[in-house]
Every structure is written in structure tokens, then in C-alpha cells.
């Protein structure tokens, strides 16, 4: 099995080994702190004092703490560039050498971060799309002319507004009905996707 989203290296393998040895009860909090700082893109993930506390909590030296932090950062930077099914991601992480518990923690935190990002994107889309397209309409009828004394041709006039652009259309009944059928077809496709 190959993981095309990440290149394995000796330092990655060593970092994963260190991560597997970290205490499971404190790992999720450690992981969430790294990811939150990674998102903010601020300088240091942990201060020097915090690193000393982590050394005591996890009972490892500073070099291993730094390597585990860098490994998690590298993994998440790679994860955020791809779309995964959670089960596939978990299998990939286990293939890389992470144990079951650490893989589950990483998938859990990754899922929460991805969900938050997608929700933010969705809210930006709906906020921007609320005022994106508006329209008005009116009906007129040509009653007669010199050429056709007893004709009556109903027409719909649609005006579409989108920010600074305005489009006006004049449609006969068959043209309007054709557009209606196309919109109905689009709506049915959307309903089937949901």
C-alpha cells in the first residue's frame, strides 16, 4: 500500500515512533494545541517552559518533544491538502506506522478541523450568494398592429440584477415555458443529489 499524499523519510518514521510512545490520555490535548497554533501560523507552538512541562508529562527529552511536534505539523500540513474518507485516512496513518489510538485521535481532530473549514466556506458562499442575483418581471401584450389586426401576443419581460450588471430579456410564452422546464429539471437533479 502506498500513501501518495506523503513522502516517508527516516525522520518521519522516528517521529511516528516517538508519537506512538506518548501517553494516550494527554495526546489529544497536545495534538489540538499544535493544530490550533498551526492554523494561527504564530511563531512558537510551545514556549520553552511549556516544552519543559511536556518533557515531564510525557517523560521524554526535548529533542523527542520537538521531533514529535514537527512530525504532527508535517502530517497535518499534508492532510489539509487532500480530501479523505476518515476510514481511508485512518488506514493510511496505520500504514505509516501510527498505532490505533493515535490514528483515531488524528482522524478525530482532522475531521473536526475539516468540518469547521467547510462550514466556514459554506457560510461565506451563502452570505455572498444572498444578494448575488435578483430579478423583476412584468407582463405586456401586443394587441394588434396594422399587419395583424386581431393578434394578441403576450410577452414576459425579465430583468436580472447582479451587483452592477443588469440583463433584460423579452420572452414569449413558449420561450418562458422552455426556461421553466429547464429550471424544473435542474431542481430535480439537485433534489436527487441531496
Amino acid at each position: 500500500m502506498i500513501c501518495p499524499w506523503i513522502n516517508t523519510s527516516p525522520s518521519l518514521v522516528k517521529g511516528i515512533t516517538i508519537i506512538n510512545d506518548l501517553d494516550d490520555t494527554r495526546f489529544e490535548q497536545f495534538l489540538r494545541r499544535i493544530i490550533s497554533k498551526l492554523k494561527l501560523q504564530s511563531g512558537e507552538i510551545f514556549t520553552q517552559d511549556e516544552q519543559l512541562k511536556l518533557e515531564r508529562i510525557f517523560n521524554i527529552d526535548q529533542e523527542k518533544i520537538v521531533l514529535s511536534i514537527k512530525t504532527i505539523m508535517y502530517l497535518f500540513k499534508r492532510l489539509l491538502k487532500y480530501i479523505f474518507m476518515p476510514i481511508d485516512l485512518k488506514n493510511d496513518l496505520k500504514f505509516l506506522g501510527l498505532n490505533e489510538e493515535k490514528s483515531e485521535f488524528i482522524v478525530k481532530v482532522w475531521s473536526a478541523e475539516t468540518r469547521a473549514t467547510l462550514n466556514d466556506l459554506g457560510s461565506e458562499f451563502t452570505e455572498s450568494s444572498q444578494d448575488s442575483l435578483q430579478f423583476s418581471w412584468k407582463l405586456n401584450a401586443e394587441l394588434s398592429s396594422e399587419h395583424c389586426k386581431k393578434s394578441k401576443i403576450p410577452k414576459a419581460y425579465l430583468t436580472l440584477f447582479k451587483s452592477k450588471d443588469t440583463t433584460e430579456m423579452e420572452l414569449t410564452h413558449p420561450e418562458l415555458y422552455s426556461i421553466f422546464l429547464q429550471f424544473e429539471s435542474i431542481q430535480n437533479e439537485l433534489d436527487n443529489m441531496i
Side-chain angles (χ1 to χ4, degrees), residues 18-36:
I18 294 168
I19 290 170
N20 283 334
D21 292 337
L22 298 178
D23 180 21
D24 289 340
T25 57
R26 311 244 173 143
F27 179 73
E28 186 173 358
Q29 185 179 4
F30 175 65
L31 179 64
R32 287 187 184 278
R33 170 71 183 270
I34 293 170
I35 302 312
S36 66

Side-chain angles (χ1 to χ4, degrees), residues 29-72:
Q29 185 179 4
F30 175 65
L31 179 64
R32 287 187 184 278
R33 170 71 183 270
I34 293 170
I35 302 312
S36 66
K37 289 287 190 166
L38 183 64
K39 281 175 44 180
L40 296 175
Q41 296 180 351
S42 60
E44 289 185 7
I45 304 291
F46 295 101
T47 63
Q48 201 66 21
D49 291 338
E50 290 172 329
Q51 283 186 11
L52 291 173
K53 288 178 186 176
L54 288 170
E55 288 174 35
R56 286 192 301 272
I57 289 170
F58 291 122
N59 197 23
I60 57 175
D61 62 26
Q62 183 178 8
E63 180 185 333
K64 289 182 178 179
I65 285 290
V66 170
L67 185 57
S68 65
I69 293 169
K70 287 182 177 181
T71 302
I72 290 170

Side-chain angles (χ1 to χ4, degrees), residues 12 24 85 94 100 107-108 123 126 133-134 138 141 158:
L12 178 66
D24 289 340
M85 292 295 291
K94 287 166 57 176
E100 181 79 21
V107 169
K108 180 180 174 184
S123 64
T126 54
L133 181 65
Q134 299 175 350
K138 65 181 178 178
L158 294 177

